[in-house]
Amino acid sequence: MRQLKIVMISSECVPFAKSGGLADVVGALPRALRDLGHHVIVILPRYTHANGHMRDARPFLDTMGVWMGDTEEWCAVQTTVTDDISFYFIESNKYFDRYALYHDADFNDYQDNPRRFGFFTRAALQLCRDMRFVPDIVHAHDWQTALAPAYLKIWHHDDPILRKAASVLTIHNIAYQGVYNAAHYNYLGLRWENFTPDKFEDHQQINFLKGGIYYADVVNTVSPTYAQETLHPGFAHGLAPYLNNKGDHYLGILNGVDYDLWNPAVDQLIPARYTPHDLSGKAICKQELQRRCLLHVDPDVPLIGVVSRLVHQKGLDMLAWAIERIVNDMRVQFVILGTGDKSLEWFYGNLPGRYPGRIGSYIGYNNELAHWIEAGSDFFLMPSFFEPCGLNQIYALKYGTLPIVRATGGLQDTVQQYDETTGNGTGFKFWEPAPHALYNTVGWVVSTYYDRKHHMRQLVQAAMAQDFSWNKSAKLYVEAYERAILNKILA
Ligand code: ADP
Ligand code: GLC
């Protein structure tokens, strides 16, 4: 096997900056690729609001000029090395000295997001040139860096540093495409002859992801089922024809998870550690979670946890229709952690006051509490309308917290349905995206908890034995990289 040189360009990465699962993936995949013998560097924006890990970076380039379509921008570059992987941060206060990654305190997207991430993507490629890093692969993630494959082909096709680089674009969520006013097009420097419906044009606007799909040598999404689903118009938010055009250059590769961070045997954030052989620590985690979230402390009542962005995708408006009937009819507790839509924040924020001791909620972002919920709950609920992969249900399996999921995308691929006759399975699935289906499934879950304790024990053991570590998926990415290199040569 030959060693590949890979540059990963992303807007998020654990432990530096995170809004969702993209950060977890970009945090873990480079290490798995390194373990397979490849050379990976990661390029990120330097967000000034981000946590201490990013502040530890040291200066690398004092100034770097980046040509956009109609102007030259200037930035600096910082670097840090973690786990033998070099991270580079593009520093531009104009673009990255903000309240959060993508939006202001009221959840309004920044108006200049197309410029922020268009600039960042060009700067990342410029950095490869300035430091003479000759990549075999440029790996872009989501709309934010989807222009990388396009810039490679439009601008760098005869550049000695970048001309050989093949590109892979990973779609973590096709609902977010980066669609913006065409007034930004000159700045992005993508050339007007490419402003056509098969590339960047989308109802007279610019569509970053669509352009990325066109230009990338290989496109993938983050589970096999979501890859299939997005070939059908109902799931792809308008992009199904373009994904179909990619033929076998469009793949589904299931995300792995990082068991150094998400594993009850080693997790330092939770109240007590535990293993499949000794679950006493899980009981402590449940008790402490109930206490922290002001629930009745009771080891014998089933506790259902939710950690989620509060958005339509995640089915939490569906849960809003069902949850009061559930707690009125069944002996069960809920704890909900999330942030997002204001109406859902308001709804879930008010529930504990109306159902004291039975529903706990925390509106905000809290990584430690996310770990506590994974560990201390009996069940983990993800009733998503669609789910490209989903990581929380995979974490939940490792914590012996049985997922209750709608059978879509990566949820379908990672959870095995409970079989009431044998006790086999790892969780509970339902199909119909409707409150009554959710209600009925929770009823089934609660009756299993009280009436089939031997099956509960069997399910927990089977869940904890699941292995979704990155090793297998990283090998599939290497295959995708090889395929991209071949496509580029043959094109
Ligand atoms: P998505 O990326 O669509 O939000 P995933 O399940 O892939 O969904 O990943 C979500 C990640 O973000 C998980 O690591 C989860 O723990 C974390 N997360 C989501 N919301 C919160 C929150 N409010 N507080 C802490 N962590 C959160
Ligand atoms: C997106 C998806 C989620 C996936 C994550 C990481 O945010 O919504 O399903 O797990 O990306 O790939």
Side-chain angles (χ1 to χ4, degrees):
M1 181 208 71
R2 64 174 169 144
Q3 185 192 55
L4 294 175
K5 285 171 82 180
I6 303 150
V7 52
M8 215 164 274
I9 310 178
S10 174
S11 59
E12 299 186 25
C13 175
V14 165
F16 303 107
K18 170 165 170 175
S19 82
L22 165 63
D24 296 22
V25 170
V26 179
L29 175 58
R31 269 184 286 134
L33 291 166
R34 178 209 56 197
D35 291 345
L36 294 175
H38 302 288
H39 180 184
V40 190
I41 66 168
V42 183
I43 307 181
L44 305 163
R46 191 193 184 288
Y47 303 105
T48 49
H49 75 274
N51 62 25
H53 295 280
M54 203 175 264
R55 279 190 227 115
D56 292 341
R58 58 185 167 74
F60 181 69
L61 293 179
D62 290 340
T63 49
M64 182 171 80
V66 180
W67 276 105
M68 300 306 294
D70 54 6
T71 185
E72 188 176 21
E73 299 275 12
W74 293 92
C75 61
V77 182
Q78 302 195 350
T79 188
T80 190
V81 179
T82 305
D83 291 338
D84 283 340
I85 293 174
S86 296
F87 292 85
Y88 297 91
F89 305 100
I90 304 294
E91 185 178 13
S92 160
N93 283 351
K94 169 175 155 189
Y95 284 143
F96 302 121
D97 183 13
R98 302 286 167 99
Y99 166 82
L101 303 184
Y102 313 122
H103 53 72
D104 65 19
D106 293 324
F107 262 85
N108 296 313
D109 277 2
Y110 295 122
Q111 294 289 309
D112 60 351
N113 272 349
R115 291 173 184 250
R116 297 173 73 219
F117 292 102
F119 157 76
F120 164 64
T121 303
R122 285 220 67 176
L125 296 176
Q126 183 62 41
L127 176 60
C128 292
R129 300 175 74 209
D130 280 18
M131 64 181 182
R132 312 213 138 270
F133 182 83
V134 182
D136 299 297
I137 288 292
V138 170
H139 188 164
H141 297 267
D142 276 350
W143 74 264
Q144 290 90 336
T145 54
L147 298 187
Y151 285 138
L152 282 177
K153 292 208 169 121
I154 296 171
W155 285 97
H156 301 295
H157 50 88
D158 53 9
D159 173 339
I161 304 287
L162 293 172
R163 70 163 179 250
K164 283 214 195 117
S167 58
V168 171
L169 171 63
T170 300
I171 301 173
H172 295 264
N173 192 336
I174 209 160
Y176 302 98
Q177 299 180 2
V179 179
Y180 295 104
N181 194 303
H184 298 290
Y185 200 76
N186 274 335
Y187 177 82
L188 296 170
L190 295 162
R191 297 205 172 127
W192 282 101
E193 67 261 31
N194 298 318
F195 194 66
T196 50
D198 58 329
K199 298 180 188 166
F200 292 106
E201 196 264 345
D202 183 347
H203 300 85
Q204 281 95 54
Q205 297 193 293
I206 316 164
N207 186 322
F208 277 49
L209 197 61
K210 190 182 187 187
I213 291 169
Y214 178 87
Y215 283 102
D217 296 305
V218 160
V219 177
N220 82 289
T221 187
V222 289
S223 69
T225 295
Y226 191 65
Q228 284 307 313
E229 288 171 347
T230 45
L231 292 174
H232 299 283
F235 278 88
H237 302 260
L239 295 186
Y242 308 98
L243 293 173
N244 277 287
N245 283 346
K246 299 303 278 189
D248 61 2
H249 302 166
Y250 178 51
L251 319 166
I253 302 178
L254 192 69
N255 283 333
V257 298
D258 187 344
Y259 290 129
D260 291 339
L261 295 179
W262 296 94
N263 177 355
V266 298
D267 190 338
Q268 294 302 318
L269 295 175
I270 55 177
R273 273 139 296 284
Y274 57 92
T275 64
H277 314 293
D278 179 3
L279 288 166
S280 53
K282 186 164 176 65
I284 297 173
C285 290
K286 179 170 177 178
Q287 180 186 311
E288 292 304 311
L289 178 64
Q290 287 174 321
R291 207 170 265 153
R292 179 170 177 174
C293 296
L294 306 179
L295 298 169
H296 298 307
V297 176
D298 182 346
D300 296 321
V301 64
L303 172 52
I304 300 178
V306 175
V307 179
S308 183
R309 290 182 293 121
L310 299 179
V311 294
H312 173 75
Q313 172 196 345
K314 300 292 180 180
L316 295 181
D317 34 5
M318 183 159 68
L319 176 64
W321 286 105
I323 191 167
E324 295 189 62
R325 228 182 107 206
I326 293 173
V327 287
N328 285 327
D329 293 356
M330 304 173 205
R331 201 167 157 262
V332 63
Q333 295 178 342
F334 278 91
V335 56
I336 296 141
L337 164 64
T339 175
D341 287 352
K342 290 295 153 204
S343 56
L344 289 174
E345 287 192 349
W346 185 86
F347 176 79
Y348 286 110
N350 280 314
L351 278 181
R354 294 174 35 225
Y355 297 90
R358 312 200 43 211
I359 301 181
S361 73
Y362 179 97
I363 303 305
Y365 190 91
N366 187 326
N367 184 47
E368 184 193 73
L369 185 54
H371 283 251
W372 278 46
I373 293 174
E374 294 281 359
S377 307
D378 298 295
F379 303 97
F380 193 93
L381 177 60
M382 274 177 89
S384 308
F385 282 108
F386 68 93
E387 194 61 73
C389 179
L391 298 172
N392 279 313
Q393 83 283 6
I394 309 181
Y395 301 148
L397 289 166
K398 189 49 92 194
Y399 286 83
T401 300
L402 302 177
I404 309 168
V405 302
R406 202 173 88 72
T408 182
L411 299 173
Q412 170 72 322
D413 292 339
T414 53
V415 178
Q416 294 160 32
Q417 180 74 310
Y418 166 51
D419 178 343
E420 215 177 292
T421 52
T422 61
N424 291 338
T426 59
F428 301 80
K429 297 199 224 189
F430 64 101
W431 275 258
E432 198 188 342
H436 71 89
L438 173 57
Y439 173 91
N440 289 338
T441 306
V442 174
W444 182 36
V445 164
V446 171
S447 72
T448 306
Y449 181 91
Y450 286 119
D451 303 334
R452 290 181 293 282
K453 292 215 179 289
H454 58 300
H455 280 178
M456 279 297 298
R457 283 191 289 274
Q458 188 177 334
L459 287 164
V460 167
Q461 289 298 323
M464 294 181 85
Q466 299 293 302
D467 182 3
F468 291 97
S469 49
W470 263 107
N471 185 277
K472 201 163 118 204
S473 298
K475 286 186 183 137
L476 296 177
Y477 271 102
V478 174
E479 281 175 34
Y481 296 155
E482 295 288 2
R483 189 186 289 212
I485 291 167
L486 194 64
N487 289 350
K488 170 138 182 158
I489 294 168
L490 297 179

